[in-house]
Amino acid sequence: MKLEINGHEYDATARPGQCLRTFLREQAHFEVKKGCDSGDCGACSVLLDGTPIHSCVTPAYRAEGRSVSTVAGLGTPDDLHALQRRFVEAAGFQCGFCTAGMIVTASTFGPEDHRERSERLKGNLCRCTGYRAIDDALSGVGNVERPTTGLASGRSLPAPAGPAIVTGTERYTLDVTVAGTTHIAVVQSPHAHARIIGIDSTAAESMPGVVAVLTNDDSPAVLYSTGRHQHRTDDPDDTVLLDTVVRFRGQRVAAVVAESVAQAEAACRTITVDYEVLPALFDPEAATAPDAPLVHSDKVAETSRIADPSRNLVAELHGATGDVDAAVAETQAGGGVVVQGRWRTQRVQHVHLETHCSIGWLDDDGRLVIRTSSQVPYLVRDELCHVFGLERDKVRVFTGRVGGGFGGKQEMLTEDLVAAAVLRTGRPVQYEFSRSDEFTLAPCRHPFRVDVVAAATADGTLTALAVDVLTDTGAYGNHGPGVMFHSCGESIAVYRCANKRVDAMSVYTNNIPSGAFRGYGLGQVSFAVESALDELAARLDIDPFEFRRRNVIEPGDPFVEAHPVEPDLQYGSYGLDQCLDLAEAALRNGNGSAAPDGEQWATGEGMAVAMIATIPPRGHFSQTSVTLDESGCYTVCVGTSEFGNGTTTVHRQIVATIVRTTVDNVSTRQSDTDSAVFDTGAFGSAGTTVAGKAVAKAAELLREQVVATAATLTGVSAEHCEIGPDGVGCSGRLVTFAELVAANDGPFTARGDHDGLPRSVAFNVQAFRVAVDRRTGEVRILQSVHAADAGYVVNPEQCRGQVEGGVAQGIGSGLYEDMIDDGNGTITASALRNYHIPQLADVPRTEVYFADTHDSLGPLGAKSMSESPYNPVAPALANAIARATGARVHQLPMNAIRVWRAMANCGLLMK
């Protein structure tokens, strides 16, 4: 068929049933993204004869004889469309995967459309930003500065990838053409627990286009975990590539490699699998019962590092300081208050708009090369070597720009199968999750049951705090121990209390696996603890801000969870007092938003605090280098992935600050095992505090080398030499970089390493004012305030965006999102239209305030601030709802039904 794409004539054949999205990508229009393939997210938006459409649900044949415009047709990186320029100037993106579709849709807006912006953009979703920066871009509000001379840090400089992102020319994982690429489709188990008796793939192997079929016969006999950490022993080895036992519905059973996705899927449908169905376990409360079905009965506890396979126990934690029971009794006898309750949190999907995907091939030297959407390319490389018995120098893993992560890409979900297929066939192989796969195959946030006992004297002094935690790690233990331990850490340690007790268990079930998610368990336990403490404050008639001030830790206090924390956790700075003051003042000042008209609306205010270590425990490593050439340009080699976390911008600002140049003289080579020596990965918000610290060390060493060379050339002492953007000034003489590089016999290179120790702490306070309809349970947010202790803020606009994105995701978890299952292991909501992530209309503008602190342990005084803003959001909402209605909701999400039911149970509904 003939059509026009971005003003150019095309004559190409569309396959029967092909959608326009895949057709356009086959013409190398990679700016058209796949986010859902069901018309829900808008990442694939294009203009068809000037009208915005979702190309994933538009048949390709409908474009015949018509004009298609993508975001790349609006402008180029060197000649941006006005709207594209506004997105750059407003910092209207983070990972950027949604940006192309967002710009395409909004490019058609007239004045009336802008007035109805929330309605017009309901088909374009963003998971990263919280929408404020997008709204600013559409309003023409600029938030970034132009790079100029002067100190590079502490300024809202634009992301270097901005022009490429807004024009669709930034390359994500699968935005490449690799000749001869084949594709993977998988056969998935219809059973929650079954033993595979046999697989007949004869028919599949003879089908057109099929290159290979992989079954458990092709699986290496190596146990591993999909969860990735610096120490691979942190996660239980309970997984094999293709197992003889399936443990959750949707688990992969076999894989077909074919010339096209359609051929691979067709071949999968011909494979017959003979199963012996086994008893299944879905209730985590029953997991350790003597008669419970065993999920991993074939595993050896010591070998697989499972606490007790005979009780489905992945890990457990029991510890105490003081005597909680005695303290509770004494508090009651003395006229104090005791609160006891049970709270539950749900499964939540990450919904990073770029799904899990990888493409692999053998390079000219026979090395296995994997291009993947990962937060941890180095850890993936190392685990592939472990599974397939390869040496490190025989495997390269790298990323393009990654379309979001939120912990979901701290896993190895596609890379292992791609590697197996490449090694088997010798051909390039691609494997891309569908959006449905993300709900039914990829790990989700751990669901928790949390029991809390909290006691305080009449004057508001906390005397006892105990939690009993049960977390469902699902069918596999990836991140199960880590999430359990971390959840009971800073959520308890943030409070000064003589009597604490922690009991926690992580158990296997035949539910979908759980994994790493923003906050890494803290959000779940904080929901319970902060709710319980708010109840204490209310019953004691003490303002909740004041109650926190009386009981939170201060410098000099030990960090105590179930027991005192290791001494590597330190007060590099302290800003919780400022955060409490900032959030309270903002809430008291109000924002002019009134409750809706009607006597049924009740208003209330709520707040919650959170603390988080700025680096994951037990070591997080980064080995970086910075190189200076004769032109005065610096190249940073660092292993951290860029997925909207903003580390690329921050690393450039750190280097530019230290060597006193402008950021446009600094470039990065990142997230490639061939570039930097090593990096544990971009999780635990370590991109700034670990990789940034290593980059800072490299820049400082490089500066010393360059200044020393200049001093030698001029005979001027080094303390009288100062590096600048054009060279080194030595008592009035400028030594150019060309002279310095010549004297050095080549470019200067310095290496900087950081092992993640010691660690500091960061603090967050969230506050809300809400209105609740006492007839229906509907909740409306009238004011959202967040105060963050981020240390020295290297890039204020970018850090503000991280906070806003965390708050928006927290609002989703708190009010809307729920991976509903049928009680038998089947996720019933496997499409975005049935899973409510916040849209533009759902998210208020959050007022963001930063404490004025400078961390002695972080680079330039900075702390981490990517995942921590999420943690206090749900409890702050819960507390606001309780203050408005008098009824407390104990289970997430706090949707209208649950709020209504809580009011009904308390007799508080308005009729």
Side-chain angles (χ1 to χ4, degrees):
M1 66 180 186
K2 294 182 179 181
L3 73 162
E4 183 182 276
I5 305 175
N6 294 338
H8 299 282
E9 297 294 331
Y10 282 75
D11 190 349
T13 301
R15 297 187 304 277
Q18 185 174 23
C19 71
L20 184 57
R21 182 192 71 81
T22 59
F23 175 83
L24 291 170
R25 288 184 64 85
E26 287 174 4
Q27 315 311 312
H29 283 282
F30 297 124
E31 66 272 22
V32 182
K33 306 301 184 190
K34 169 189 170 179
C36 64
D37 272 359
S38 57
D40 296 327
C41 77
C44 68
S45 297
V46 300
L47 303 181
L48 187 58
D49 289 340
T51 300
I53 60 163
H54 289 173
S55 63
C56 68
V57 291
T58 301
Y61 77 84
R62 289 187 181 172
E64 184 170 12
R66 303 173 73 179
S67 174
V68 176
S69 297
T70 73
V71 73
L74 297 178
T76 67
D78 296 325
D79 185 18
L80 297 176
H81 180 278
L83 184 57
Q84 292 170 325
R85 185 176 299 106
R86 287 179 180 177
F87 267 77
V88 172
E89 293 171 348
F93 57 85
Q94 286 182 23
C95 87
F97 201 78
C98 72
T99 306
M102 196 81 67
I103 290 174
V104 165
T105 300
S107 70
T108 64
F109 285 3
E112 180 62 28
D113 298 299
H114 279 290
R115 283 190 289 270
E116 301 293 332
R117 192 176 289 167
S118 296
E119 176 68 19
R120 297 292 188 267
L121 281 175
K122 66 181 181 181
N124 289 84
L125 302 178
C126 175
R127 188 56 151 170
C128 298
T129 64
Y131 293 102
R132 187 272 313 164
I134 292 172
D135 197 52
D136 281 352
L138 297 175
S139 299
V141 176
N143 298 314
V144 301
E145 308 173 40
R146 294 185 182 277
T148 58
T149 56
L151 191 68
S153 61
R155 299 168 61 190
S156 296
L157 299 181
I165 286 172
V166 301
T167 56
T169 53
E170 180 75 2
R171 291 291 182 248
Y172 294 80
T173 309
L174 300 183
D175 294 346
V176 294
T177 299
V178 179
T181 296
T182 59
H183 300 266
I184 288 177
V186 299
V187 176
Q188 296 178 266
S189 170
H191 305 293
H193 199 194
R195 181 172 288 106
I196 297 173
I197 304 303
I199 300 176
D200 185 356
S201 61
T202 306
E205 291 167 4
S206 64
M207 290 188 66
V210 171
V211 177
V213 177
L214 304 179
T215 69
N216 48 50
D217 290 336
D218 304 289
S219 182
V222 177
L223 287 168
Y224 61 99
S225 173
T226 63
R228 308 303 335 122
H229 284 99
Q230 172 64 38
H231 304 287
R232 68 172 311 279
T233 52
D234 284 357
D235 299 281
D237 282 336
D238 56 10
T239 302
V240 295
L241 183 71
L242 293 165
D243 210 336
T244 57
V245 176
V246 291
R247 296 178 173 87
F248 69 97
R249 298 185 196 278
Q251 181 171 338
R252 64 194 189 195
V253 172
V256 173
V257 183
E259 301 292 346
S260 70
V261 174
Q263 289 173 325
E265 291 175 344
C268 284
R269 290 191 288 270
T270 71
I271 294 175
T272 58
V273 184
D274 185 14
Y275 296 97
E276 175 193 351
V277 178
L278 303 173
L281 169 69
F282 304 109
D283 182 4
E285 298 284 354
T288 59
D291 59 346
L294 298 180
V295 180
H296 285 278
S297 60
D298 58 328
K299 304 298 189 302
V300 177
E302 294 75 18
T303 303
S304 288
R305 299 179 303 283
I306 299 170
D308 189 351
S310 69
R311 294 196 299 137
N312 292 312
L313 188 62
V314 182
E316 61 181 330
L317 169 65
H318 304 283
T321 58
D323 188 330
V324 167
D325 294 336
V328 167
E330 183 179 343
T331 300
Q332 289 176 318
V337 172
V338 177
V339 168
Q340 300 183 60
R342 171 168 288 187
W343 283 263
R344 296 184 184 276
T345 67
Q346 79 284 37
R347 290 181 182 85
V348 178
Q349 231 299 308
H350 306 80
V351 195
H352 35 70
L353 286 190
E354 181 188 43
T355 62
H356 288 89
C357 56
S358 302
I359 182 169
W361 61 89
L362 298 176
D363 69 11
D364 293 340
D365 296 323
R367 282 196 313 167
L368 175 65
V369 179
I370 304 288
R371 178 183 171 99
T372 186
S373 185
S374 176
Q375 297 172 228
V376 286
Y378 289 79
L379 301 187
V380 167
R381 176 200 61 187
D382 291 352
E383 198 65 4
L384 289 176
C385 291
H386 170 73
V387 173
F388 295 101
L390 302 171
E391 296 298 323
R392 274 187 173 187
D393 62 356
K394 298 298 182 184
V395 180
R396 176 193 177 198
V397 177
F398 71 106
T399 76
R401 191 175 182 90
V402 176
F406 315 112
K409 292 173 181 176
Q410 196 188 335
E411 304 271 358
M412 187 172 72
L413 301 179
T414 58
E415 299 92 342
D416 52 354
L417 201 53
V418 167
V422 170
L423 294 172
R424 164 78 176 273
T425 66
R427 296 273 303 276
V429 180
Q430 177 174 305
Y431 182 28
E432 180 181 19
F433 272 21
S434 67
R435 181 57 58 187
S436 178
D437 290 336
E438 295 291 345
F439 283 99
T440 61
L441 184 56
C444 58
R445 188 175 86 148
H446 283 71
F448 272 57
R449 185 267 292 152
V450 185
D451 293 342
V452 180
V453 177
T457 58
D459 68 354
T461 301
L462 194 62
T463 59
L465 181 60
V467 296
D468 186 307
V469 172
L470 178 67
T471 172
D472 180 1
T473 198
Y476 292 91
N478 46 300
H479 298 283
V483 167
M484 183 203 71
F485 282 108
H486 191 240
S487 72
C488 300
E490 295 96 305
S491 58
I492 308 299
V494 70
Y495 289 104
R496 182 177 56 252
C497 181
N499 305 286
K500 294 181 179 181
R501 184 174 65 229
V502 173
D503 295 287
M505 294 194 302
S506 176
V507 297
Y508 285 120
T509 64
N510 291 114
N511 294 315
I512 187 172
S514 303
F517 188 96
R518 196 173 203 161
Y520 212 67
L522 286 179
Q524 293 96 310
V525 174
S526 291
F527 170 61
V529 170
E530 292 296 308
S531 294
L533 296 188
D534 193 69
E535 280 290 296
L536 275 181
R539 290 172 60 179
L540 290 166
D541 195 25
I542 298 175
D543 178 85
F545 286 96
E546 179 59 29
F547 184 83
R548 297 325 194 277
R549 289 189 184 96
R550 297 180 189 183
N551 292 290
V552 295
I553 57 172
E554 299 173 347
D557 291 330
F559 299 106
V560 181
E561 303 164 357
H563 44 70
V565 177
E566 294 297 323
D568 70 285
L569 190 64
Q570 303 174 9
Y571 292 95
S573 60
Y574 182 83
L576 179 51
D577 52 348
Q578 294 182 52
C579 289
L580 287 166
D581 292 347
L582 289 166
E584 182 179 26
L587 206 58
R588 298 294 172 259
N589 289 336
N591 65 349
S593 295
D597 292 334
E599 62 179 359
Q600 74 271 25
W601 291 96
T603 61
E605 296 176 351
M607 57 80 65
V609 305
M611 178 178 79
I612 194 168
T614 57
I615 300 171
R618 301 194 309 109
H620 195 110
F621 298 87
S622 184
Q623 297 171 293
T624 70
S625 67
V626 180
T627 298
L628 168 67
D629 66 23
E630 68 278 359
S631 67
C633 291
Y634 297 82
T635 301
V636 180
C637 290
V638 60
T640 303
S641 300
E642 175 62 71
F643 55 99
N645 48 345
T647 53
T648 306
T649 311
V650 166
H651 292 165
R652 293 168 79 234
Q653 288 182 263
I654 289 172
V655 171
T657 297
I658 292 170
V659 300
R660 301 190 178 184
T661 189
T662 56
V663 291
D664 53 358
N665 286 328
V666 183
S667 61
T668 57
R669 294 178 56 205
Q670 62 198 49
S671 57
D672 185 343
T673 59
D674 271 4
S675 60
V677 178
F678 184 79
D679 191 279
T680 297
F683 63 90
S685 299
T688 294
T689 53
V690 179
K693 183 81 167 184
V695 166
K697 288 181 177 180
E700 288 163 354
L701 288 172
L702 181 72
R703 181 185 61 195
E704 291 176 9
Q705 292 177 18
V706 174
V707 168
T709 301
T712 300
L713 286 176
T714 61
V716 177
S717 62
E719 58 264 27
H720 293 106
C721 297
E722 185 173 308
I723 196 169
D726 301 313
V728 177
C730 300
S731 296
R733 178 188 167 187
L734 179 67
V735 184
T736 67
F737 289 123
E739 294 175 82
L740 291 164
V741 169
N744 192 56
D745 293 328
F748 291 86
T749 296
R751 176 171 154 172
D753 300 350
H754 189 45
D755 62 2
L757 298 173
R759 303 177 295 143
S760 188
V761 286
F763 300 95
N764 299 80
V765 175
Q766 175 69 41
F768 286 107
R769 183 164 53 90
V770 304
V772 182
D773 188 325
R774 289 177 290 170
R775 293 175 178 173
T776 67
E778 179 188 353
V779 177
R780 294 189 187 179
I781 298 173
L782 304 178
Q783 185 178 10
S784 173
V785 176
H786 193 100
D789 174 21
Y792 177 71
V793 182
V794 177
N795 189 306
E797 176 59 27
Q798 185 171 276
C799 195
R800 177 188 180 190
Q802 291 294 316
V803 171
E804 292 167 332
V807 172
Q809 200 165 31
I811 289 171
S813 301
L815 297 182
Y816 310 122
E817 300 180 43
D818 195 356
M819 289 177 62
I820 299 171
D821 65 69
D822 65 356
N824 292 303
T826 300
I827 302 298
T828 57
S830 59
L832 288 178
R833 66 187 57 191
N834 300 320
Y835 182 85
H836 183 173
I837 76 165
Q839 302 173 353
L840 174 60
D842 298 319
V843 182
R845 285 201 166 216
T846 294
E847 301 168 42
V848 178
Y849 302 93
F850 292 115
D852 183 10
T853 58
H854 186 281
D855 200 78
S856 62
L857 302 178
L860 304 184
K863 299 186 186 184
S864 57
M865 198 48 60
S866 287
E867 62 178 330
S868 58
Y870 173 85
N871 296 325
V873 175
L877 277 169
N879 296 338
I881 292 168
R883 299 276 175 153
T885 64
R888 181 163 293 280
V889 183
H890 288 78
Q891 184 171 355
L892 297 181
M894 297 173 289
N895 53 35
I897 294 173
R898 288 203 173 105
V899 175
W900 182 92
R901 187 179 295 128
M903 290 189 293
N905 290 340
C906 296
L908 296 172
L909 282 176
M910 177 178 284
K911 297 182 180 178

